[in-house]
Amino acid sequence: MIASVTGRVAAVAPDAAVVEVGGVGVLVHCTPGTLATLRTGQEARLATSLVVREESLTLYGFATDDERAVFELLQTASGVGPKLALAMLAVHSPQALRVAVAGADLKALTQVPGIGQKGAQRIVLELKDRLGASPEAVDAALNGSRKDTLWREQVHSGLVGLGYSGKDADEAVAAVEPQAEADLAAGRAPQIAALLKAALRALSVR
């Protein structure tokens, strides 16, 4: 197994990079996030995973050992090959994937091109006990998601109840989103009354 490659980056393409190792240019397939950290002509180290097929040897590279470990574990699920595993890591970080699988977040998993509802359910079923998200991490992620969704629903329904159209309510919710995000970033629950007042102000000055 080739666990890592270290050398000068000879070229960077949209889906791969060439790293010169001992005078040999090694083609390494990477996620866009990993490729964004590479600079042609500079030294780089990539954690790697070699996928052996009857007709090919393909090397996949990652910015961290953790990404490589998750890449390899994802492929133990039925229907998940190296290309789909790499696509999953292109959309979600390793920790986000752990949380999505452990929390059965099918919506997050189906954001990955190539994963439908049934595929997401199968991944959750087969990897839920193996991918390794802590219960605390899952709870924190789910609670943050609920808070983010709840304030939107409450402000929107409040505006509709006051006689505004759904379209107007959508625009007002978007206008007060920075205020709500500031509350969430500070660890506070968004104040619905304050957001509703700000939304009404936004509607009044259109």
Side-chain angles (χ1 to χ4, degrees), residues 3-87:
S4 67
V5 295
T6 301
R8 188 181 70 87
V9 178
V12 178
D15 60 351
V18 176
V19 181
E20 291 187 348
V21 181
V24 177
V26 180
L27 181 68
V28 187
H29 295 271
C30 307
T31 65
T34 296
L35 291 170
T37 67
L38 304 178
R39 298 291 181 272
T40 302
Q42 295 185 4
E43 290 283 315
R45 176 195 179 274
L46 294 172
T48 57
S49 178
L50 180 64
V51 176
V52 180
R53 295 286 186 266
E54 186 175 341
E55 70 285 356
S56 66
L57 298 174
T58 307
L59 197 62
Y60 293 86
F62 308 91
T64 67
D65 292 341
D66 187 38
E67 282 187 349
R68 178 186 61 200
V70 171
F71 171 78
E72 293 175 346
L73 184 56
L74 288 171
Q75 292 175 75
T76 65
S78 303
V80 179
K83 289 184 179 179
L84 185 55
L86 195 68

Side-chain angles (χ1 to χ4, degrees), residues 118-151:
K118 289 185 179 179
Q121 291 172 341
R122 183 174 61 248
I123 289 168
V124 168
L125 180 65
E126 296 184 14
L127 297 182
K128 188 171 184 178
D129 296 328
R130 288 190 282 157
L131 203 50
S134 68
E136 294 80 6
V138 175
D139 288 344
L142 292 177
N143 286 337
S145 177
R146 290 190 189 105
K147 287 178 181 177
D148 183 56
T149 302
L150 186 60
W151 77 261

